[in-house]
Amino acid sequence: MFEKMRVKTKVIDSGKSGLDTQTLEVNVGPQHPSTHGVFRMTIVLDGEVVKSLRPVMGYLHRNHEQIAENITYSASMPYTDRLDYFNSMSNNQAWAMTVEQLAEVEIPDRAEYIRVIMSELTRLVNHVSVIGFLLNDMGAFFTPTLFAFREREKVLDVFEAVSGSRMMCNYLRFGGVNRDLTDDQLGQIKKIVADFPAFLDEFETLLAQNEIVCMRCQNVGVLPAELAINASITGPMLRASGVNYDIRKVDQYSVYDRFEFKIPLGEKGDVYDRYYVRMLEMRESLKILNQALEQIEPGPFMAPKVPACLKNPRNFKPPVGEAYGRVEAPKGELGFYVVSDGSKEPWRYHVRAPSFINLTVLEAMCIGYKLADAIVILGSIDIVLGEVDR
Amino acid sequence: MPQLEFLIKCGVYGLMGLGIIAAVGAVLLPNLFHAGLALAFVLVTIAGIFMSVGAEFLGMVQILLYVGGVMTLIIYTIMLTGRLGAKDVRAQNRQGIFAAIAAGFFVCWIGPLILKTGAWPQRESDSAPPLLSVEDLGMSLMTEYVFPFEVLGVLLFAVLIGAIVIARQDRPS
Amino acid sequence: MDQMFVNIKAALVGLSDKVFPDWVGVLVSIAVSIVAIALLGPLIMMYLTLIERKVVARMQNRIGPNRVGKYGLLQPLADGVKMLIKEDIVPRNADKVLHLLAPILIVAPALLVFAVLPFGRNMTAVDLNVGILFFAAISSIGTIGIFMAAWGSNNKFSVLGGMRSVAQMISYEIPMVMSVVPVLLAVGSLSTNAIVEAQADWHWFVFTPWGFLGCVIFFLCGVAECNRSPFDLAEAESEIIAGFHTEYSGMKFALFYMAEFMSAFTISGMTTTLFLGGWQGPLLPSWLWFFLKTYGLIFIMLWFRATLPRLRVDQLMALAWKFLLPLSLVNIVATCIWHFLSDEAFFTPAAFLVPLALLVFSYWGLMKLNQPYMPEKRVYPLVD
Amino acid sequence: MFFGLGILRGMNITLMNFIRSYTRKRGSGEIGALTTVQYPEERLPEKEKFRNFPFLIYDDKPEDLRCVACDICAQDCPPRCIYIVKETDEAGKPMKKPAVFDIDFTVCMNCGICEEVCPFDAIFMDHEFEIADSDRHDKLLYHRDDLLKTNEHFHKIRPNDGREVDTRLAEAKEAKAKKDEARKKAAEAKAAAKAKAEAEKATEAKEDKPPETEKESDPQ
């Protein structure tokens, strides 16, 4: 299967033709319309074919981990919003889970349900925008992006009503959530979930079967399952390569064991699979949302036995130890590793950022393809520079 | 209308002058890319002269084939071969003497022909149809000059096959 | 009404004849045409930008420009002013002369083509008897302008864009000209006026099978010629920033856009002339018919832009060489068949069906031969 | 499959959106309806919990602001954008009032933590977002007097929260009154009784001291 593809796009060996040819080195980024931020790729081109590609990161480095080691645990929460600024809710969830694991806090059911609802809504927002951007990178002049943003806006409205901010939610707290969901807001979410399938159908008809999209995406940027596993790729990218690995199923964290949902798997691991697996994942997320909205019951939204961390965030001192909390963020496995020495600030704080790790296979996927493919492959990885550079 | 005739003459002589300047530029400009562009401009002015004497078809074909096709390819080649970093690839010419001799022979051959024609092409009247219609051209290509035409066709065919062979060489078997 | 503009011109010429000697009248007649075209080109371009923004916005659930003037009607003027007062930046190592000349050399051919467009009955500025050839020749000059822009900017992205664009324009010129040949065969003249006259009484060529195919091929190639989506590789903003005009700003940049929009108009106008009956049409004045049809085609261009992603370089070439070119060659054969079977009548069943069968067969055959470029069907298992 | 069918289907979607942009009502939320909000003239309804930049609240007079300059918010602020200096009286003794209360809006990241940790309900997140300025240094460094806003303003932007906070404060006031009364009683008792009663009073006062809120008490 892969051999066939390789033949089609073999790098033309310039030495063989006996002509004195020259490779061209171009810097794609850090200021480039489709590197999704200040990411830079140094690409060596032979004609239009990528011969080597070197990702250069760090233009958006903000010292996140060092800052977190110098502020209290709860003050890190708004900083995690800014990692992957498309998915602040799932970032919050991962950080909250890590500290709860460290401090052994039990979370009430309602809070867990709210967290699941929020992170699945986040997944919808992320996947729908990523697909929009991917198609935009392919040259569809903003129509998919704006359709995606039209729906994203509705979800962001809910986030704003619930947490106070559209993107930088800072909504979760250790032991629960900041505020309860009102019935109004639940109704709003129900309406979004009910309307979303119609939008997804439209979105899919718009370009998923489009011949140009198929030509651009199919058999481009193939990531073999073996390489994906070896490079510890996670998230939709891994599943597009046909590996069944979803932390929601593996860890069964939060209340995910109470829902009926499936994991869509890709066939070849090319750009098209990554695109379509995200499409299917959104449909599965909608299933989860429907069940969660049915099952959610009134109750406390904060841990009833309030630990010190909630009463007085400045004086919250978790016991000495270490914890690693992870969630299935829309981009992959988002993990926080934290070591506590019993003081107010974490002694060591590390983020396992899915975008960053998924980006490591970029060169392997791009070599032998055209410059235009490299852009699309980058788009299909789904990176957010806030998370890559931290 | 002699005044109009005068204006047209001015225009045509101006065109010719520009053409000569551009031709000199095409030979002398140090930068190959500029020289190529100057050559393209020469061809455009020649097309303009063709049109001014009523050979519109020829003028258009001149632009379509020579400017749009041949010159584009030549400039494309220059652009690809010239190192992108170093733009001042000098148009090195070590055969100036031979070129001058060849040009001299050419002038000797074609000069009498030029002198034989009048200062201005004579047309019977302004409203007369062009000397050579497209139909005439087609007819003569298909009757009188059918052999050269076919030979050219075979040549182009060979070129096409050659291009395909060269393009295929790098492909894996 | 139909001859409104023709009469205005005649009146102006008549006016000058009364005052000046007769040779001035000829000059005035020429000048009126030139001024009309020179004004029409930029005017069309300015309002095409507005139309494009409006149409694309509506397709994307937006309103589009609506702040400057009623319905944003003054937006093009505001844009023009903005472009004029913007700083003109020339890269330090650019070839200054070429950098300056390139936008002019791109606009000039785009404007020249207006000369042979039949805007209405008796409304062709210059009725050349080689009109179609003129169109093909002049539009091929534009490549050199793109070259100059690409090379003169001294930017790698520009060079990439320039190479792409030239390869694309040379490739698409061939099927484009080939798809015009059927019309020339049917009409027997290269003059645009003669072509329109031949399509009187609803004998639009688009209603014949070869005409329909020719129309589609010509229009697609035209879209590629003026670098518009989905063939806008030369200025693919997501890949090579803006291609050959990456390094341009201010009014020079606007000139590139002017060229693009004017060629979009001329391509649509030429498609109208060649296949859609030009200014022929009932009731309405001829020039209105021409503009209606042309803007209909422009709407399709904008529609493409709002929907389709762009092709990749190799796919673009493959489409031109492996699909459109053979198809347009078959189309010529189909036209010959139509010509001999139709027996001077526009429509006979045999003359309609035989070329149709030939074309459908060759379309199908080419599709089969180009199998590698056909989309695959995928199955996505859902697992636990 | 027929090549081009997918393209045609996609183009149908955009065309339907084009037509529906004229037939469907703007902002109705249906597919194809226009979504634009003409911003300066039209505004989306403000969400009550929406937070942007903080402001300081006062009840009657700007001098009587609720803030006691306890410095909790400044210490808990993740980007440390709050700077507080206590006011001192003539004798140089610090008063429960900020002399300097600066918030650097260029640093503030609108997280709302200051509002959450404030035990005196003195700082709240505002809805005001049109504060753009061409000067990024001085104009966006807000001083105490720029930050002051009335309780009415708070009620206007966040009616539910305003009510809640007011009842909470009223209860606290009542509790304080009770405490004062208790203190008075205790004083009377003190006058009457001996050292034993004094110890009792101390515990009582300690119990009553925190206001009846879920928030933490004044560390002072």
Side-chain angles (χ1 to χ4, degrees), chain A residues 25 32-34 48 137-138 141 143 146 150 215-216 218-219 244 263 265 267-268 270 273 373, chain C residues 59-61 156 164 237-239 241 305-306 310 312 315 373 375-376 378-381 383-384:
Chain A
E25 189 180 339
H32 186 278
S34 52
E48 286 250 353
D137 286 348
M138 261 180 251
F141 186 71
T143 309
L146 282 160
R150 186 181 75 200
M215 274 154 72
R216 287 294 303 276
Q218 289 183 341
N219 296 319
N244 180 11
I263 307 298
L265 292 185
E267 197 179 309
K268 287 191 175 171
D270 56 9
D273 281 352
D373 291 330
Chain C
M59 286 181 176
Q60 298 171 342
N61 313 128
K156 287 170 185 171
R164 277 183 178 190
E237 81 283 345
S238 62
E239 295 150 24
I241 324 287
R305 173 142 195 218
R310 74 176 67 83
R312 203 172 55 204
Q315 293 161 350
Y373 290 95
E376 295 169 9
R378 301 268 174 98
V379 188
Y380 294 89
V383 297
D384 270 318

Side-chain angles (χ1 to χ4, degrees), chain C residues 245-296:
Chain C
H245 57 76
T246 302
E247 292 288 358
Y248 281 89
S249 61
M251 205 56 210
K252 285 185 195 164
F253 174 80
L255 284 181
F256 283 107
Y257 261 79
M258 187 186 272
E260 185 187 316
F261 280 105
M262 288 197 309
S263 10
F265 183 85
T266 47
I267 291 291
S268 304
M270 214 31 118
T271 315
T272 307
T273 307
L274 288 171
F275 299 100
L276 299 180
W279 40 258
Q280 306 274 7
L283 297 172
L284 297 171
S286 58
W287 46 272
L288 199 59
W289 268 112
F290 175 82
F291 278 102
L292 274 181
K293 288 174 189 174
T294 306
Y295 277 102

Side-chain angles (χ1 to χ4, degrees), chain A residues 143 147 206, chain C residues 59 303 306-307, chain D residues 10-18:
Chain A
T143 309
F147 281 10
L206 178 65
Chain C
M59 286 181 176
W303 191 9
T307 317
Chain D
M11 290 181 63
N12 180 39
I13 295 274
T14 37
L15 185 67
M16 287 323 280
N17 269 285
F18 180 75

Side-chain angles (χ1 to χ4, degrees), chain C residues 12 14 27 34 39 53 98 137 149 177 192 282 293 302 316 365:
Chain C
L12 279 173
L27 285 186
I34 289 177
L39 285 180
R53 288 168 71 179
L98 296 191
V177 173
T192 46
K293 288 174 189 174
L302 306 181
L316 183 89

Side-chain angles (χ1 to χ4, degrees), chain A residues 157-389:
Chain A
D157 276 347
V158 172
F159 284 177
E160 189 185 5
V162 173
S163 74
S165 190
R166 300 173 79 78
M167 287 174 83
M168 305 298 144
C169 297
N170 185 21
Y171 178 53
L172 270 56
R173 292 289 176 271
F174 310 138
V177 294
N178 190 9
R179 295 190 190 94
D180 200 3
L181 280 182
T182 62
D183 290 344
D184 262 12
Q185 287 156 355
L186 274 175
Q188 221 176 328
I189 295 171
K190 272 180 190 147
K191 189 169 182 306
I192 290 172
V193 173
D195 288 349
F196 215 82
F199 161 70
L200 274 186
D201 291 341
E202 189 197 16
F203 203 49
E204 206 173 319
T205 326
L206 178 65
L207 285 172
Q209 300 303 320
N210 190 303
E211 278 80 1
I212 299 176
V213 171
C214 292
M215 274 154 72
R216 287 294 303 276
C217 292
Q218 289 183 341
N219 296 319
V220 165
V222 176
L223 178 67
E226 203 181 325
L227 175 62
I229 294 169
N230 285 345
S232 77
I233 305 300
T234 47
M237 231 178 127
L238 179 69
R239 293 193 283 274
S241 294
V243 184
N244 180 11
Y245 180 78
D246 188 315
I247 297 166
R248 290 176 293 178
K249 289 278 185 193
V250 174
D251 275 11
Q252 308 242 318
Y253 64 89
S254 198
V255 285
Y256 276 111
D257 51 342
R258 301 185 197 172
F259 305 124
E260 189 71 36
F261 67 102
K262 303 266 192 219
I263 307 298
L265 292 185
E267 197 179 309
K268 287 191 175 171
D270 56 9
V271 173
Y272 191 80
D273 281 352
R274 268 168 243 150
Y275 162 37
Y276 209 76
V277 159
R278 290 201 173 100
M279 214 73 184
L280 293 170
E281 262 182 32
M282 282 195 275
R283 297 199 188 269
E284 296 303 314
S285 281
L286 288 174
K287 278 188 205 164
I288 299 177
L289 277 168
N290 273 323
Q291 294 171 50
L293 287 168
E294 243 167 58
Q295 291 174 17
I296 189 167
E297 276 166 9
F301 61 95
M302 264 290 193
K305 269 176 87 179
V306 184
C309 64
L310 307 169
K311 186 85 178 151
N312 190 346
R314 265 172 316 126
N315 297 327
F316 166 58
K317 290 173 187 164
V320 179
E322 59 175 17
Y324 177 69
R326 59 178 187 174
V327 296
E328 179 67 32
K331 293 184 166 55
E333 174 183 337
L334 173 69
F336 285 88
Y337 174 68
V338 62
V339 181
S340 158
D341 57 354
S343 69
K344 286 197 289 189
E345 291 117 20
W347 182 78
R348 179 75 180 96
Y349 171 98
H350 174 73
V351 185
R352 186 220 184 268
S355 309
F356 175 70
I357 290 166
N358 291 354
L359 197 53
T360 51
V361 285
L362 180 63
E363 178 171 17
M365 288 196 291
C366 285
I367 285 188
Y369 295 101
K370 302 254 178 334
L371 173 64
D373 291 330
I375 300 289
V376 174
I377 293 167
L378 177 70
S380 75
I381 295 177
D382 179 12
I383 55 165
V384 156
L385 265 292
E387 194 177 61
V388 173
D389 293 341

Side-chain angles (χ1 to χ4, degrees), chain C residues 52-203:
Chain C
E52 161 149 44
R53 288 168 71 179
K54 279 279 187 190
V55 169
V56 173
R58 286 281 174 172
M59 286 181 176
Q60 298 171 342
N61 313 128
R62 294 185 288 124
I63 297 178
N66 67 342
R67 288 295 163 129
V68 192
K70 188 87 178 150
Y71 305 119
L73 279 175
L74 298 178
Q75 184 71 38
L77 289 180
D79 285 344
V81 169
K82 180 201 136 198
M83 284 299 185
L84 277 171
I85 60 176
K86 260 179 103 163
E87 186 188 357
D88 176 38
I89 300 166
V90 182
R92 190 190 301 153
N93 289 327
D95 193 317
K96 304 261 174 346
V97 181
L98 296 191
H99 193 265
L100 173 72
L101 281 178
I104 302 167
L105 210 75
I106 287 178
V107 168
L111 197 54
L112 272 177
V113 178
F114 274 79
V116 291
L117 274 185
F119 288 98
R121 193 172 281 124
N122 306 328
M123 273 172 68
T124 315
V126 186
D127 185 17
L128 278 180
N129 57 7
V130 289
I132 296 299
L133 206 58
F134 178 83
F135 167 75
I138 295 298
S139 49
S140 73
I141 292 185
T143 26
I144 290 189
I146 291 179
F147 258 140
M148 287 163 69
W151 197 80
S153 301
N154 196 25
N155 178 319
K156 287 170 185 171
F157 287 112
S158 298
V159 171
L160 276 175
M163 287 185 197
R164 277 183 178 190
S165 129
V166 171
Q168 175 183 333
M169 286 178 103
I170 290 179
S171 305
Y172 273 84
E173 222 156 69
I174 296 163
M176 186 168 165
V177 173
M178 287 298 168
S179 65
V180 180
V181 172
V183 176
L184 305 183
L185 283 177
V187 179
S189 168
L190 285 164
S191 154
T192 46
N193 265 357
I195 290 169
V196 177
E197 300 283 0
Q199 298 181 70
D201 304 330
W202 292 99
H203 286 177

